[in-house]
Amino acid sequence: MTDKKFPDKAQYVIVGGGVVGCSVAYHLAKMGHTDIVLLEQGQLSCGTTWHAAGLVGQLRGQPAMTNLIRYSTQLYSDLEAETGLATGWMQCGSVTVARTDDRMTMLLRTAAAARAQGVEVDVITAAEAQEKWPVMQVDDVKGGLWMPGDGKANPTDLTQSLAKGARMRGANVIEGVTVTDILTDSGRVTGVVTDQGTIEADYVINCGGQWARKLGLMCGVNVPLHSAEHMYIVTEKVEGVNPDLPVLRDPDGYIYFKEETGGLVMGGFEPEAKPWGMDGIPEKFEFSLLPDDWDQFEILLENALIRVPQMETTGVRKFYNGPESFTPDNNYLLGEAPELKNFFVGAGFNSMGIASAGGAGRALAEWIVAGEPTSDLFAVDIRRFANFNNNPTWLHDRVKETLGLHYAMPWPNRELDSARPFRRSALYDRLSAKNAVFGSKMGWERVNWFARDGEKAETVYSFGRQNWHDAVGEEHKAVREDVAVFDQSSFSKLMVQGRDACRELNRICAANIDVEVGKTVYTGLLNVRGGYESDLTVLRVKKQEFLLITGSAQTVHDADWIRKNFTDDAHVFLTDVTSSWSVLAVMGPKSRDVLKKLTKSDLSNAAFPFSTVREIDLGYATVLANRMTYVGELGWELLVPVEFTIGVYEDLMNAGAEFGIRNAGYFALEGLRIEKGFRAWTRELTPDITPLQAGLGFAVDWDKAGGFIGKEALLAARADPDHLKTRIVQLVLDDAAPQLWGGEAVLRNGVEVGEVRSAAYGHTLGAAVTLCQLEADEPIKADYLKSGEFEIDLAGVRFSAQVHLRTPYDPKGERAKVDG
Ligand SMILES: Cc1cc2nc3c(=O)[nH]c(=O)nc-3n(C[C@H](O)[C@H](O)[C@H](O)COP(=O)(O)OP(=O)(O)OC[C@H]3O[C@@H](n4cnc5c(N)ncnc54)[C@H](O)[C@@H]3O)c2cc1C
């Protein structure tokens, strides 16, 4: 405790004095928001932070996370000059080695992606790796990467330095105070109760590390994380190890090394982790560790001895076993809780909190002040999870797998295996019986592809064509030439109703949704910067009732965005009705023929044009039929009350038999939509991309009464030719053979100009098809595209590609509208 009077009021109360809480305090203060109280139940850094190994590696699976860590490295090197307290930052670089050809391919892909993000990286041979890290043996090493910008920091010193930077600007950092309750009023946080008194607050920021879930439950907020044991050892001195030694990562052996006082810190990420804290996290856990567990550590030690044989004869000075919190997808949790206004979370750092704290702290501080994220942060946005993700039994089973993901092979289309099946559609059993291979999105089991007779219903991962290539080719062909059914029940469905529903939604949507009842409108939801917060379809089912169909992963995010943007006293209500409706998409030129056999409704173009929705009879069922397509063919998305799903599905398959109807899955859907050039949210459409850059200006109503969120920014962008220096375009490879997965670098005349955001094999065009984000020095217009030679770098090999602003498949978009 300080000798200051205990505060009873503050604008910002931060709970938790680990590296993350201190970083948030520092950045809020640096932004001039200094009425801050930070509360720590023990001493600063006493939770998880103090025993971290301190590795700061920049490369992460998500570009947004990489960017945040790049900022961290800058901050950690500059902070001492500002605060006078060292952070222990040392830019020693890092070496990552590969034991297998697949891992080397992965490193080459990573290097190309890193360069596209401006991270310095060199591909090196095994001998060069050994030169940089002489104590390792490299007989089994295929090659590696050298990242000179990586480094290490001292977690405790860093935390103290951040806290000092916050204090210097006026923040009140108080140790030895436990928050025992969170106060709320009318859906908004109003303060905290502590063991030393109550503090009123405008904002409360939960940086409670592995205690963050419990803090969330105090106020009805879901913070889905679970602790797992995480271990490393520190050895006695090792010959040849000196303080300048880079960090070494050997992901095929699950291990990392760094120098410490002439010895080695060796730890890792074993494939099956050991969850901890099932009966709750003890309140008193200051500077505490868990018992040594050499059995759990064995797999890491065995691999370490392969890499550094000298360790066989080196003593161990200390075994560190500390609990750390892990999330269901190994990305952390950031942002305002959708359940409670002004209650923010920065937790669940999955053993990368030291590396991430600088950038994540700044991002969270900016989010708090701006009221929305200031860049694309969906990968870490707490709204990617729902209440069911906070189920403790599910979390326990899931974190066994997530810890190991750090070093697991990030295969294209890799699915997590644990804690499944979780959410199942009404057709799950029927589709399983048809050899469906499921993936998982927002907890839903969704069919990726259907194995054919004689094929094993299991995805075999590789960087080249995977074992489902031909089976998906047949599904793709059925959609283009005949008809197929997709179970898209996982789509999020949000009902917006009320006297003011039309006015309110029209301000939130960029397109005009004030249309006749029975019309469907495709629209973006934009932020004030004109970037995409979502893209979805709005079905006007009644005058004051709109059904919004949006991506499976976006339920909580979109509902939160829309609700937050409703005017306070408006008569408008949003309900998540996802679980009430199944969605069966009947797609392909013969879809009308199939449906005609089952309904008395008129499905002709005149009676049921593209972009309209009608209630129709279908067999014994009554369904909402939406004439829309995500594959570029004639088709209807049937919204079916869940209890009618099996009946409708059976009717469709029986009626469709004579037209060759078949089941199709999400892998086919992905190829079909990319071939057609349809953009997807989080891939091509992000909070940093506008409709103009995405080529979706047609879905903006510039003239509607009342305007829309983001209009001012878009108008300014439209008048600025430089705005189109960033653009989404389609690239199709010339060579039919290579398989692309996304993340590859794009080159124009030999110079990197962007990255592949989505890729799949286009079975109709007969080559890999992609949607790419280009960043150029000049506006990207037809001349720029025509005058350049485009290539895509696939793990170090370049392939020529043709660039298109409009898809070469059905460039006028006629196929979806034709009367079959
Ligand atoms: C063995 C090990 C090695 C690691 N190595 C690395 C590494 O090399 N690189 C890396 O980037 N990361 C590493 N990490 C991860 C890193 O340590 C964490 O991600 C990071 O410390 C998390 O910081 P935090 O601030 O979120 O949590 P914490 O440091 O746990 O801070 C949360 C604080 O909240 C306080 N608190 C909780 N509840 C209350 C309450 N009710 N009232 C008041 N205060 C409360 C706690 O006392 C605690 O101090 C490692 C972790 C482990 C376990």
Side-chain angles (χ1 to χ4, degrees), residues 192-208:
V192 297
V193 180
T194 79
D195 55 357
Q196 319 219 354
T198 296
I199 308 179
E200 272 178 47
D202 298 330
Y203 297 84
V204 174
I205 302 122
N206 175 0
C207 297

Side-chain angles (χ1 to χ4, degrees), residues 14-23 38-57 60 69 76 151-153 155 159 174 176-182 193-195 206-212 214-215 218 228-233 249 256 258 265 267-269 281-283 285-287 289 320-326 346-357 403:
I14 299 170
V15 188
V19 69
V20 176
C22 291
S23 179
L38 183 149
L39 302 173
E40 166 52 50
Q41 63 189 357
Q43 292 173 40
L44 294 185
S45 86
C46 74
T48 303
T49 296
W50 70 278
H51 55 62
L55 273 56
V56 180
R60 302 289 151 178
I69 298 180
Y76 302 169
K152 51 189 180 178
T159 307
I174 315 178
V177 178
T178 303
V179 171
T180 55
D181 203 1
I182 313 273
V193 180
T194 79
D195 55 357
N206 175 0
C207 297
Q210 59 180 345
W211 294 265
K214 181 176 153 192
L215 283 159
M218 290 176 187
E229 300 188 18
H230 186 36
M231 308 162 195
Y232 65 84
I233 54 171
R249 294 186 179 85
Y256 64 77
K258 74 159 197 175
V265 166
F269 298 94
I281 312 295
E283 257 170 44
F285 201 73
E286 268 180 71
F287 298 110
L289 289 173
Y320 283 87
N321 181 7
E324 158 73 331
S325 51
F326 291 84
F349 274 84
N350 303 288
S351 201
M352 53 184 152
I354 308 306
S356 308
L403 176 142

Side-chain angles (χ1 to χ4, degrees), residues 7 91 138 156 193 284 290 294 298 376-377 490 512 634 672 679 682 763 770 778 802 807:
Q91 190 181 322
V138 292
T156 301
V193 180
K284 289 280 159 232
L290 302 173
W294 286 99
E298 188 179 349
D376 175 15
L377 291 173
S490 66
N512 191 352
L634 177 71
L672 289 155
R679 280 78 166 133
T682 71
H763 287 274
T770 69
E778 57 183 281
Q802 300 305 312
T807 175

